Each structure stands twice: as C-alpha cells, then as structure tokens.
Amino acid sequence: MAAKKHRISISADECKGCRRCIPACPKKLISVGNAINIQGYVAVKADHPEDCIGCGSCFHQCPEPGAITIYVEE
C-alpha cells in the first residue's frame, strides 16, 4: 500500500496575514507572499505545497475558516 500524499492550499483572498501558520509548519512550507489580497492584507503562500506531510498544524493555527486546506491525494 502506497503512502498517502498531502498537499497544502492557501486561499490568498481569505488570508488576513496573521502569519500564525508560518512557525506552525514543521516542514517550513509557508512564507509571506508579496501581493496584497482583496482585503488589503499581505497573504501568506505555500512554497512546495506537494511536500506537505498533512499534519494540520497550520490549519489549526489559522483563525480564518477556509484560508488553509490540506488535501489528501491517493
């Protein structure tokens, strides 16, 4: 049986730039972006989203529902 793969997805327009997800990621896959979103915040971005291990730490730190999604790819 193959190991499940995970992928992180960040909705930039839902992000309020609190950055709580950045230190929460044990793989250091999240960083500050360089664009301002529709709410006027500098959103975070996922670097190498395919390297996500699916731990959910970033998701649980994020106060904005819908900003971070972790997908399981089989």
Side-chain angles (χ1 to χ4, degrees), residues 8-48:
I8 181 175
S9 176
I10 298 174
S11 174
D13 286 335
E14 297 291 325
C15 178
K16 289 191 177 171
C18 73
R19 303 178 185 182
R20 290 170 54 180
C21 57
I22 294 173
C25 179
K27 298 288 283 179
K28 307 295 184 215
L29 301 179
I30 305 171
S31 64
V32 178
N34 55 8
I36 297 174
N37 67 14
I38 62 171
Q39 298 185 77
Y41 298 105
V42 177
V44 298
K45 62 181 179 132
D47 302 314
H48 307 288

Side-chain angles (χ1 to χ4, degrees), residues 55-68:
C55 69
S57 293
C58 58
F59 175 83
H60 291 292
Q61 283 297 314
C62 182
E64 293 304 313
I68 298 176

